[in-house]
Amino acid sequence: MAQALVVPRVRLNRDRVLQAAIGLADQVGIEALSMRRLAEELGVVPMALYKHVANKDELLDGMVEVIVAEIDPPAPDTEWKTAVRLRVLSARQMLLRHPWARSVLESRTTHTPAVLDYLESTIGMFLAGGFSADLTHHVMHALGSRMWGFTQELFDASADPARPPVDVAVQTARIQAMAERYPHILQISTAAAHDDSVVAHGCDDRFEFEFALDLLLEGFERLHVSGWSSGPATHTA
């Protein structure tokens, strides 16, 4: 009688738990991710997870550590503006791979080592470009969440993933109703037509994100060249 083939069980470790959690969140969303569901995905009892992550918060912190490590490192021997642009756009690609990451990054109250390393290297790119610590301080405030590849847009439909698809007839009726009372809003909202948007109906979110990023970087460069300071002897470009 032939013996049944015994498939060796893959040993559970922290990295496997985090990778499985990320994969599950990519599939079902962060709200549906729970320790129980993750345990089912891994084929273990929930208590087995607690040997590797103490609770849901520690799980989320660990997931952030993994996805931040996906962002490309600073390009070597590259001038600061190009280096920053490439880094931010790499962060944006990471967010597109993991749509849930934005809400998790915003919800974290503690900075993990990977997050601090990312902040450190981003600041370092400006300092290496000759920016003063004073200007870099204000630059980082101006970049804000854009450093992570996202920003709160003027009409941000992506902020609510549960929002139902737009009904064209309803949308048309709303536009007609707005035309008289809000002519300026209507004028700019219909000024450009783009496809494949996750930011707003009629807007290309990648174009708008890169437009604003380039605008900021050009402004930072002007301030740097002019020797700008936040002190009383501030120079203007």
Side-chain angles (χ1 to χ4, degrees), residues 95-110:
L95 288 185
L96 292 176
R97 290 192 297 271
H98 310 295
W100 50 269
R102 169 178 171 172
S103 63
V104 175
L105 283 166
E106 289 178 313
S107 71
R108 297 297 84 204
T109 57
T110 58

Side-chain angles (χ1 to χ4, degrees), residues 76-161:
D77 303 320
T78 305
E79 60 93 23
W80 71 268
K81 190 161 60 173
T82 300
V84 172
R85 190 178 194 276
L86 290 173
R87 196 92 197 279
V88 170
L89 293 181
S90 177
R92 183 165 176 77
Q93 288 301 311
M94 178 273 290
L95 288 185
L96 292 176
R97 290 192 297 271
H98 310 295
W100 50 269
R102 169 178 171 172
S103 63
V104 175
L105 283 166
E106 289 178 313
S107 71
R108 297 297 84 204
T109 57
T110 58
H111 292 314
T112 62
V115 169
L116 292 173
D117 287 342
Y118 183 72
L119 291 171
E120 175 74 8
S121 64
T122 302
I123 292 169
M125 285 187 281
F126 289 105
L127 296 176
F131 280 48
S132 67
D134 178 38
L135 177 56
T136 302
H137 172 97
H138 296 285
V139 160
M140 295 301 291
H141 275 291
L143 273 179
S145 65
R146 198 174 299 276
M147 175 184 66
W148 294 106
F150 70 87
T151 185
Q152 182 65 46
E153 299 291 347
L154 181 60
F155 303 109
D156 193 350
S158 67
D160 181 8

Side-chain angles (χ1 to χ4, degrees), residues 7-13 16 42-44 52:
V7 178
R9 192 171 186 176
V10 178
R11 187 177 181 84
L12 200 63
N13 56 41
R16 186 172 174 232
L42 287 165
V44 299
H52 307 285

Side-chain angles (χ1 to χ4, degrees), residues 163 166-178 189 200-202:
R163 183 172 179 166
V166 174
D167 184 297
V168 176
V170 172
Q171 183 77 0
T172 301
R174 286 175 180 169
I175 290 174
Q176 291 174 343
M178 287 177 63
S189 65
H201 181 67

